[in-house]
Amino acid sequence: MEFKKFDNEIDASKFAADIVLDLIKNNNKAKLGLATGSTPITLYDILCSDYIKNKTNWSEVKTFNLDEYYGLSIESKASYHYFMNHHLFSKININKSNTYFPSENNNYDNLIKQNGSIDLQILGIGTNGHIGFNEPGSDINSLTRLVDLTKSTIEVNAKKFFNNDISAVPKKAISMGLKSIMQAKKIVLLAFGSSKYDAISKLKKSTKFDPNFPASVLFDHPDVTIIIDKEADIDL
Ligand code: PGA
């Protein structure tokens, strides 16, 4: 696991964007695993600016999102379908039929396998150490499934995306599992701001999988880059 620390979120996101763009330039049929949340927004903005400037060709790229809320219409502004469309897909020349999200009925892990594996998985991290919506207690062998969100995740997401209305936040989601995530060839995890400090400190100290801190599973992956700003890790 390699840590890369930057002065600010913009420089960190530029570094991550270069990893994504290098991959696509070398393989126009690249398969990307994508994350939602506040963390990757700057990365997606940079990818959109690159498209305007350099016309990087996304037409044959396939994307697989990590998760989606359960019980929310995909047209809802709070859905991750909407998020991805708004922040990335509508601003690049990706073919919408090449963009995939987990759902109850689409046998997502098989779908990913049929398309070859994910070349590069982008991840955020929850303050409780979740990756995707694999909350504490998740099984190391978990595949894509319906999960219950924890109280802390619901509270954090209410603040960030639901006007602080806890009752509006879905209580369940469909998430790729820890095993699904670990099958990606390369993983880039982004973490910005002091709210991620504790999670990043724990990740640095991880030496084996701890189900109470799901991100610790990454310790066993051969190619993980953790990209952080200085607030997320004042010690490095
Ligand atoms: P955030 O969420 O990017 O909104 O901080 C990350 C996560 O919960 O995985």
Side-chain angles (χ1 to χ4, degrees):
M1 200 174 333
E2 186 187 15
F3 285 81
K4 294 266 183 198
K5 183 175 164 184
F6 293 85
D7 277 348
N8 55 60
E9 180 174 336
I10 296 179
D11 289 347
S13 300
K14 278 186 188 154
F15 185 80
D18 283 343
I19 296 175
V20 174
L21 293 168
D22 282 350
L23 172 68
I24 296 175
K25 281 170 197 155
N26 283 317
N27 174 10
N28 69 339
K29 292 184 164 58
K31 268 95 55 188
L32 295 179
L34 297 179
T36 49
S38 52
T39 307
I41 292 178
T42 307
L43 163 64
Y44 296 152
D45 285 348
I46 296 167
L47 295 176
C48 295
S49 304
D50 163 82
Y51 181 71
I52 293 171
K53 222 167 111 195
N54 303 316
K55 288 278 171 287
T56 298
N57 185 10
W58 290 75
S59 64
E60 297 198 64
V61 171
K62 292 189 177 176
T63 64
F64 295 87
N65 263 78
L66 271 173
D67 43 24
E68 178 57 285
Y69 286 120
Y70 178 73
L72 199 64
S73 148
I74 59 172
E75 271 91 43
S76 159
K77 286 197 169 178
S79 76
Y80 290 160
H81 280 75
Y82 186 93
F83 177 103
M84 290 310 305
N85 202 35
H86 178 73
H87 288 288
L88 186 64
F89 298 157
S90 64
K91 298 174 181 162
I92 55 175
N93 72 329
I94 200 159
N95 183 342
K96 279 285 183 56
S97 63
N98 286 340
T99 66
Y100 300 93
F101 290 79
S103 80
E104 249 191 318
N105 306 315
N106 68 355
N107 207 342
Y108 203 52
D109 293 285
N110 264 356
L111 189 67
I112 295 171
K113 228 186 251 161
Q114 280 160 17
N115 282 285
S117 50
I118 288 176
D119 296 299
L120 170 63
Q121 175 69 56
I122 305 291
L123 293 178
I125 185 168
T127 51
N128 65 359
H130 73 207
I131 50 175
F133 275 133
N134 294 285
E135 300 282 34
S138 293
D139 194 290
I140 194 167
N141 289 314
S142 52
L143 294 171
T144 305
R145 69 217 183 283
L146 185 63
V147 296
D148 291 315
L149 305 186
T150 60
K151 191 166 171 276
S152 82
T153 295
I154 291 168
E155 283 167 3
V156 169
N157 286 5
K159 252 190 219 139
K160 284 188 181 170
F161 300 107
F162 291 85
N163 262 334
N164 222 358
D165 179 3
I166 287 183
S167 69
V169 186
K171 308 298 180 280
K172 289 176 187 286
I174 314 266
S175 178
M176 278 169 69
L178 294 177
K179 190 170 177 185
S180 327
I181 291 170
M182 288 291 278
Q183 283 163 353
K185 291 180 194 154
K186 179 179 180 64
I187 295 177
V188 165
L189 183 147
L190 307 172
F192 307 135
S194 55
S195 68
K196 300 295 168 71
Y197 175 80
D198 286 345
I200 291 302
S201 307
K202 268 198 192 162
L203 192 55
K204 271 166 60 187
K205 290 182 199 132
S206 297
T207 52
K208 62 177 172 42
F209 177 62
D210 171 2
N212 293 316
F213 185 68
S216 59
V217 74
L218 300 175
F219 178 79
D220 265 337
H221 192 284
D223 188 354
V224 179
T225 307
I226 313 286
I227 300 177
I228 51 185
D229 67 357
K230 57 184 180 200
E231 271 107 62
D233 187 358
I234 50 182
D235 311 325
L236 271 180

